Amino acid sequence: MRIVVKPSRSQQPSTSFLNSGVPEKRLLKGTLGLGFILMVFLVVIPLVVIILGGHQSPLPIWLREVGVWARGGLEDNFVTSKGPKDKLLGGLLPAGFHEESCLSRYQSASYRKASSHLLSHYLLRRLRKYEALHRRCGPNTALYNKTLEQLKKRCNNETAECNYVLWIPFSGLGNRMLTLASAFLYTLLTNRVLLIHTDASMNDLFCEPFPHTSWLVPSDFPMKGFPKFSSNSPRCYGKMLRRKASANNSDDVVKQRLPAYAYLHLFHDYDDFDMHFFCEDDQKFLQNIPWLVIGSDNYFAPSLFSIPSYEEELSRLFPKRDTVFHHLGRYLFHPTNTVWGMITRFYQAYLAKAKERVGIQIRIFNRGSPFMNILDQILACSLREN
Ligand SMILES: *[C@@H]1O[C@H](CO)[C@@H](O)[C@H](O)[C@H]1NC(C)=O
Ligand SMILES: *[C@@H]1O[C@H](CO)[C@@H](O)[C@H](O)[C@H]1NC(C)=O
Ligand SMILES: *[C@@H]1O[C@H](CO)[C@@H](O)[C@H](O)[C@H]1NC(C)=O
């Protein structure tokens, strides 16, 4: 057995094999080391559900339920995969992209086992509908400009035709992919449009997932404070509720002045007020706010299943609840050609000939710990235990 381990950037030993083999490393500026990115694409994605088990998700129980949740005849509702030649993954991916512009979209499936998870026809229909909505409401369209007016004038006095979820990045790449998939699920459930803000470490990492439009927030986006928010920001939804509670006011302070945007603080350390996001009444209220900013380090998709008004839609989209990230991940995350080149070269050099591949995610929280010692221990133990 051959074990390939790549430490994260801060603990990188000088003899890193990647430095010699992959000169393009400099292309990935910022804090996410190449090794980590490769690890996420090659290893972490398949393992993600397992890793999640250890996370502090508000509703971890459902992960253990691998039951079928559909009502009625399953087989008719699902797409069957046509094997590795099926470039659009049974219709999960949209047609209408130039293949060369994002090779990984069409090639990555051939590096993986065929998906054993059924894909509902309903999900495919909803994705196509979403893509059409995103084209209509995407950045710099007339409808986008119209909703943007409300933000600029700081008023929310008319119903917008296009409403948005703005995702802002936090934490490492793995967390980002999980929260981004969760935010996308939320936009599907609320008929909103997902726009993302990327920072230096994420620029040019992923291809655009929706054809003929963009999911990137324009750089001159006029929201005050964007993209930096915290649980203490005045427009933080939890903070608004906290203020309302302490004001001890019988009439609804929040409702009196409907803001043009709100920030949803969905971090692992969020309090009861922030968690109100997952309550039915709060969801009804949030419907009236055209711009919702989501900041999270948490895979919050499971908690959306606890909101009664989304229950039916979710059961149609994902009759098997534990496949949400599997399908949305394959739909959303496609490394750009530069990154894909690195991934495939890494694969050819280190993984292609291996009979068996085992992913080990090493996380060291105490920065002072001697990384090489820990690495040696892990390798020795892995080899000993086969
Ligand atoms: C929306 O606004 C932007 C920036 O002001 C402008 O460039 C663009 O043409 C507008 N779009 C439409 C369809 O009017
Ligand atoms: C909403 O408020 C803005 C700014 O005060 C104003 O220009 C606009 O006409 C108002 N729209 C409606 C429907 O009242
Ligand atoms: C609100 O104020 C009333 C009267 O001043 C008081 O009796 C009540 O306990 C207060 N409630 C909270 C939640 O602070």
Side-chain angles (χ1 to χ4, degrees), residues 166-357:
L166 300 179
W167 174 92
I168 48 178
F170 279 102
S171 226
L173 179 59
N175 295 63
R176 291 176 184 202
M177 293 168 75
L178 292 171
T179 60
L180 197 41
S182 304
F184 180 60
L185 180 61
Y186 182 64
T187 62
L188 281 182
L189 294 172
T190 51
N191 283 316
R192 287 173 180 266
V193 170
L194 175 68
L195 299 180
I196 71 168
H197 170 78
T198 62
D199 56 14
S201 65
M202 243 185 119
N203 284 341
D204 304 322
L205 201 53
F206 295 116
C207 304
E208 292 277 356
F210 316 122
H212 311 301
T213 179
S214 175
W215 68 343
L216 300 175
V217 178
S219 54
D220 58 351
F221 191 68
M223 185 181 284
K224 195 163 171 255
F226 186 84
K228 297 254 176 286
F229 292 101
S230 74
S231 58
N232 236 342
S233 304
R235 283 280 171 263
C236 173
Y237 185 59
K239 168 114 179 174
M240 285 154 68
L241 296 178
R242 243 170 276 143
R243 223 166 34 220
K244 183 179 143 191
S246 64
N248 190 5
N249 199 335
S250 53
D251 39 37
D252 195 340
V253 175
V254 175
K255 258 183 197 144
Q256 275 178 1
R257 279 189 252 135
L258 202 56
Y261 74 93
Y263 163 65
L264 302 161
H265 185 77
L266 305 179
F267 277 73
H268 64 272
D269 63 348
Y270 51 10
D271 67 10
D272 290 353
F273 290 104
D274 295 312
M275 269 186 234
H276 262 269
F277 172 72
F278 297 108
C279 299
E280 180 81 24
D281 289 346
D282 300 78
Q283 281 300 320
K284 286 216 176 75
F285 171 72
L286 291 169
Q287 271 175 15
N288 304 310
I289 302 183
W291 301 92
L292 294 181
V293 182
I294 290 186
S296 175
D297 61 353
N298 224 3
Y299 184 54
F300 63 87
S303 305
L304 298 175
F305 282 79
S306 68
I307 303 169
S309 53
Y310 301 144
E311 213 171 294
E312 188 179 340
E313 180 75 359
L314 280 166
S315 72
R316 294 182 73 192
L317 291 169
F318 298 101
K320 281 186 143 194
R321 300 182 188 199
D322 57 344
T323 60
V324 171
F325 188 82
H326 176 77
H327 292 314
L328 294 187
R330 291 188 309 153
Y331 174 74
L332 288 174
F333 303 121
H334 306 286
T336 53
N337 285 349
T338 308
V339 179
W340 184 238
M342 297 176 192
I343 292 171
T344 49
R345 283 195 296 279
F346 181 95
Y347 179 87
Q348 295 305 339
Y350 298 106
L351 298 173
K353 294 191 195 83
K355 260 199 290 197
E356 204 161 342
R357 291 183 279 271

Side-chain angles (χ1 to χ4, degrees), residues 32-167:
L32 301 168
L34 166 64
F36 183 63
I37 291 164
L38 293 174
M39 230 176 74
V40 166
F41 283 116
L42 293 167
V43 173
V44 177
I45 293 175
L47 290 181
V48 113
V49 172
I50 299 166
I51 292 167
L52 278 174
H55 258 267
Q56 304 159 317
S57 184
L59 258 194
I61 302 130
W62 77 276
L63 280 171
R64 282 173 243 142
E65 299 171 7
V66 192
V68 175
W69 207 34
R71 295 146 189 165
L74 277 181
E75 302 305 326
D76 302 342
N77 296 330
F78 290 110
V79 178
T80 42
S81 173
K82 296 169 199 80
K85 294 223 175 74
D86 176 17
K87 287 196 166 172
L88 298 181
L89 308 181
L92 181 68
L93 301 179
F97 278 114
H98 285 295
E99 201 166 321
E100 298 75 31
S101 67
C102 184
L103 294 168
S104 68
R105 199 190 317 269
Y106 307 96
Q107 294 179 359
S108 55
S110 64
Y111 288 77
R112 299 201 189 110
K113 285 183 195 151
S115 171
S116 58
H117 297 294
L118 298 169
L119 192 57
S120 79
H121 279 298
Y122 184 70
L123 174 62
L124 305 187
R125 278 205 301 279
R126 283 295 284 113
L127 291 175
R128 298 297 92 79
K129 200 174 141 201
Y130 175 81
E131 288 152 14
L133 179 73
H134 198 117
R135 268 197 300 283
R136 226 156 22 91
C137 301
N140 294 324
T141 57
L143 288 171
Y144 169 87
N145 286 356
K146 202 160 170 241
T147 312
L148 202 60
E149 277 304 299
Q150 299 204 16
L151 197 60
K152 286 180 180 161
K153 290 186 181 153
R154 299 196 198 168
C155 62
N156 179 0
N157 55 356
E158 43 196 310
T159 312
E161 200 168 325
C162 295
N163 297 284
Y164 299 84
V165 166
L166 300 179
W167 174 92

